[in-house]
Amino acid sequence: MDKHEVAELLRTVGSAVSPTMIETAIAPSGQSVLGRPVAVGDAERMWRQLLAVRDSTGWHPVLTARHPSDLVNAPSHGTDTFDARADTAPYEVVAEIKDAALSDRLEFADEEEASEWRAEFTPEQLARSINPEPRSPRPRQNFYPRWLCLVETPNGYSVPGILPGYPHTLNWSHGPGGRNMRASDHVAFLHTWYDRFGAELLYLSSRVLMVDVAQPPRDRIAVAEAAIEQYAYCPDGHDTTTYAEIQTRNGTWQFCWD
């Protein structure tokens, strides 16, 4: 799409804008990113309307605090190698990262601590500690939707692979072999969550990622499995129980790497 086609698409969802207000940029992959400034009060409504027509447009909407040019020009902070299994076998990637995260926690743990960590990473044991009803979700943090962008891909989970500098996962180094997070790791986690829970990338910034979850898990084992994955993905300020109680059963999942 060019600026005029984007302006026409935005007009059809009730967001008329001059083509001159639309910024365009090209990602290193060659895919286009287009965006327009957006008022906070209109941002999520417009995102949902554009998501509803994504299958026909082939462009995924993303809310962000950044200009499209910032998104495509950000330096990649992780390992440059993209693991193609994020698209073809994402569950393998997620399983490897979960195993690596547990190994990382066990490395310097005493016997008692090791037993506690194993319980935290065992869905059947974690499920027994989960309250029947989730606690109230925390308010969204670091959510500044100043731009509504369209990324040239029909799959929201692919966006971090197109914009490998976002998010910047500070201090995350518990991939297999102690490696840093790759863009393909983001894609793999988002891919599996899309498959199971209808999770769609909503917001992306330098250290924050949020997904809108259409069918969050309800069964306790499924909740526990997802909470373990969320912890392996972003352990900052949480543990598996906290994720299960506060976030996993809710419609918005937010992650921040401090």
Side-chain angles (χ1 to χ4, degrees):
M1 288 191 293
D2 59 23
K3 289 184 178 182
H4 293 277
E5 291 170 321
V6 173
E8 176 60 21
L9 173 61
L10 291 170
R11 185 192 65 77
T12 65
V13 298
S15 178
V17 62
S18 168
T20 60
M21 293 181 63
I22 298 171
E23 181 180 310
T24 64
I26 304 296
S29 62
Q31 287 147 296
S32 296
V33 181
L34 300 95
R36 59 149 296 179
V38 65
V40 173
D42 295 330
E44 195 162 343
R45 172 186 59 80
M46 292 169 57
W47 178 84
R48 293 187 183 282
Q49 290 173 320
L50 289 168
L51 182 68
V53 297
R54 181 188 62 192
D55 289 347
S56 61
T57 66
W59 294 68
H60 182 81
V62 181
L63 297 175
T64 178
R66 315 295 297 192
H67 294 247
S69 56
D70 294 335
L71 296 176
V72 303
N73 292 323
S76 177
H77 301 285
T79 306
D80 291 332
T81 303
F82 187 93
D83 188 338
R85 293 180 302 160
D87 294 317
T88 61
Y91 293 89
E92 289 183 9
V93 177
V94 171
E96 289 174 0
I97 292 174
K98 285 192 298 180
D99 289 345
L102 176 57
S103 295
D104 186 57
R105 298 300 179 260
L106 295 178
E107 184 174 3
F108 300 107
D110 60 27
E111 185 174 343
E112 182 178 354
E113 291 170 335
S115 177
E116 292 173 352
W117 277 116
R118 290 191 181 94
E120 288 270 331
F121 273 76
T122 303
E124 293 76 11
Q125 291 183 307
L126 179 60
R128 289 196 288 270
S129 69
I130 297 173
N131 289 321
E133 296 297 328
R135 290 156 55 188
S136 298
R138 291 173 177 170
R140 289 179 181 173
Q141 298 175 325
N142 303 308
F143 182 59
Y144 307 110
R146 299 190 178 104
W147 281 81
L148 173 64
C149 292
L150 288 164
V151 181
E152 189 180 5
T153 176
N155 302 309
Y157 57 76
S158 297
V159 171
I162 299 169
L163 308 172
Y166 284 85
H168 179 191
T169 52
L170 295 169
N171 304 319
W172 192 100
S173 59
H174 60 242
R179 65 164 174 78
N180 294 330
M181 185 177 280
R182 300 169 175 170
S184 52
D185 296 334
H186 292 289
V187 174
F189 277 95
L190 296 185
H191 194 164
T192 67
W193 294 338
Y194 170 77
D195 286 349
R196 289 177 290 160
F197 312 123
E200 296 282 9
L201 179 62
L202 168 67
Y203 180 81
L204 189 64
S205 196
S206 58
R207 289 184 289 172
V208 177
L209 183 147
M210 296 184 188
V211 291
D212 181 83
V213 187
Q215 299 98 32
R218 299 297 179 191
D219 174 81
R220 286 195 188 186
I221 295 294
V223 170
E225 290 172 342
I228 293 166
E229 293 168 1
Q230 290 177 322
Y231 176 78
Y233 181 57
C234 181
D236 292 359
H238 294 79
D239 56 25
T240 58
T241 303
T242 303
Y243 273 122
E245 296 289 4
I246 294 177
Q247 172 161 288
T248 309
R249 287 174 279 186
N250 295 313
T252 301
W253 294 355
Q254 56 185 345
F255 305 96
C256 180
W257 291 267
D258 294 326

